[in-house]
Amino acid sequence: MKYLRSVRGRMLGIAFIPGGALVVVAAVIAVFLVHQAVRTRDLALETADAADRTARAVVALQAQRSAAMGVPDRQSAAYANFTQRIDTAIAGLRDYARRAPNAESAYQQTIAVELLSVAEGMDRSDSLALAGLDDVTRRSYTTAVAAYRAELARVAPQLTESGRTAYESLTRSADWSRLAAAEDAIIAAEPLPIAESTWRSAAYTVSGELGRLYAQQSQYAVQLTLDDGRRTLGGALAAGAALLLTALLLLVVVRRLVARVPVPVVPIMVPTVRAAIPRPRHARSRRPHLPDPWPLKAVLDDLRRR
C-alpha cells in the first residue's frame, strides 16, 4: 500500500508541474495587464492635469501681456517675451499629447492643443491691435490673424460632431463677422467699419467661444484616455481571473485523473530458507520427479541368494 501511494504521489507531482507553470504564467500576465491599465489611467489623469495647468498659465500670461503692452516703450519687448513663454507652455502640452497610451487618444489631444494655439493666436492679434500698430507691428498683426484663421479652418474638419457644430455656430455668428470685419480694416489700415465697443464685445465673445471649444475637445480627449484605461483594466482583471481559474481547474482534473490511474503492484520475492537438518540418504534423488531405484535393487539381490 505504501508503494502504491508513493507511485501515485510521484505521478501527481509530475502532473502538477505544467499546472503550476500555468498558474505562474497566468499570474505574471495578470500583473502585467493590470500594471498597463493603471499606467494608462495615471497617464490620462496626468495629461488632464497638464492641460488644465497649461490653459490656466496661458490665460494668465495673456492677461500679463495685455497689461505690459499698455506701456508704450515696452510693447515690443513685452509682446516677444510673453508670446515666447506662451508658445513654450503650449509646446509642453503638445509633448504630453504625443505620449498618449494609444493613437486615438494622442490624435484627439493633439487637436485640443491646436485649438488652444488658435485661441492664443486670436488673443495675440487682439493684444497687438489694442496696443496700437505701426509698420512693424502691423505685419505681425497680419501674420497672427491669417495664422489663427487658417489653423482653425484646418482643424475644424477633424473635430468631433459636437465640436464641428460649435465651430459652425461660431463662424456663422454675428460676432465672428464683426470681428473679421474689424480685423480686415485694421490690416488694411482703414477706419473700423463698426463702433469700437462693438468690436471689443465681438472680440471678447469670439475669444470665449474659442476657449470653450478647446475645453470641450480637451475634456473629450482626456475622457477617451480614461475610458481606454478602464477597459484595459477590466480586460486585464477578466483575463487574469480566467487564466488562474483555468490553471486551478487543470490542477483539480489532473489530481482526479491520477487518483484513478491503476498502478501495478510488483510482487516481492521472498527467498526460501534451506533446512538445517539434512534429509535421509534415501530421500535424496537426482531426479525428484522419478521414484528412487532402491526397491528394485533389493528384489534382485534376494533372487541371487536363492
Side-chain angles (χ1 to χ4, degrees):
M1 183 61 66
K2 291 183 179 180
Y3 176 77
L4 179 61
R5 288 197 298 264
S6 176
V7 172
R8 284 182 173 172
R10 293 177 184 177
M11 293 177 63
L12 188 61
I14 295 174
F16 275 0
I17 292 177
L22 183 58
V23 171
V24 173
V25 171
V28 171
I29 293 176
V31 170
F32 175 76
L33 292 177
V34 171
H35 177 267
Q36 289 294 108
V38 172
R39 181 176 177 274
T40 301
R41 183 197 61 189
D42 293 343
L43 185 58
L45 295 175
E46 182 181 354
T47 302
D49 185 59
D52 183 67
R53 290 197 313 267
T54 302
R56 293 176 183 273
V58 167
V59 171
L61 290 172
Q62 287 173 347
Q64 296 174 20
R65 179 176 58 192
S66 298
M69 291 181 68
V71 181
D73 296 338
R74 298 184 54 189
Q75 288 180 356
S76 298
Y79 177 81
N81 178 31
F82 286 101
T83 298
Q84 182 179 6
R85 292 171 63 181
I86 292 174
D87 289 342
T88 301
I90 294 176
L93 184 57
R94 189 174 284 109
D95 290 336
Y96 270 100
R98 294 193 186 100
R99 294 199 299 268
N102 56 65
E104 181 63 21
S105 299
Y107 175 76
Q108 296 297 337
Q109 288 170 0
T110 301
I111 296 300
V113 176
E114 297 303 327
L115 288 174
L116 181 61
S117 179
V118 168
E120 156 57 16
M122 185 268 162
D123 187 87
R124 182 180 304 180
S125 63
D126 194 58
S127 62
L128 284 171
L130 285 177
L133 300 176
D134 54 22
D135 293 339
V136 176
T137 55
R138 194 177 302 277
R139 287 194 295 269
S140 299
Y141 178 83
T142 303
T143 301
V145 170
Y148 93 78
R149 289 180 181 178
E151 186 67 14
L152 182 59
R154 184 187 66 83
V155 173
Q158 305 173 26
L159 299 176
T160 61
E161 183 177 356
S162 59
R164 288 193 298 271
T165 301
Y167 164 77
E168 293 173 359
S169 176
L170 171 62
T171 54
R172 293 174 182 175
S173 65
D175 289 319
W176 178 268
S177 300
R178 292 164 186 164
L179 177 62
E183 290 173 342
D184 293 339
I186 294 173
I187 292 173
E190 297 175 353
L192 290 176
I194 56 177
E196 184 175 353
S197 60
T198 304
W199 166 47
R200 298 313 310 150
S201 176
Y204 179 81
T205 301
V206 170
S207 178
E209 290 298 324
L210 289 176
R212 280 188 285 273
L213 190 61
Y214 157 73
Q216 178 182 350
Q217 178 66 27
S218 179
Q219 291 173 2
Y220 172 75
V222 171
Q223 188 62 42
L224 187 67
T225 307
L226 288 174
D227 292 342
D228 181 70
R230 293 190 186 97
R231 286 192 299 270
T232 304
L233 180 59
L237 294 177
L243 288 173
L244 289 175
L245 183 61
T246 302
L248 293 177
L249 182 61
L250 177 62
L251 292 178
V252 172
V253 171
V254 167
R255 188 172 182 273
R256 291 188 176 182
L257 290 177
V258 170
R260 295 181 180 181
V261 171
V263 180
V265 179
V266 180
I268 300 176
M269 304 300 296
V270 180
T272 57
V273 181
R274 180 173 296 181
I277 302 175
R279 293 186 302 173
R281 182 177 180 183
H282 66 271
R284 299 176 184 176
S285 176
R286 296 179 181 177
R287 295 182 179 180
H289 58 280
L290 297 176
D292 291 336
W294 67 268
L296 181 61
K297 181 179 180 182
V299 172
L300 293 175
D301 291 341
D302 185 62
L303 291 175
R304 290 193 189 100
R305 285 195 296 270
R306 291 180 182 181

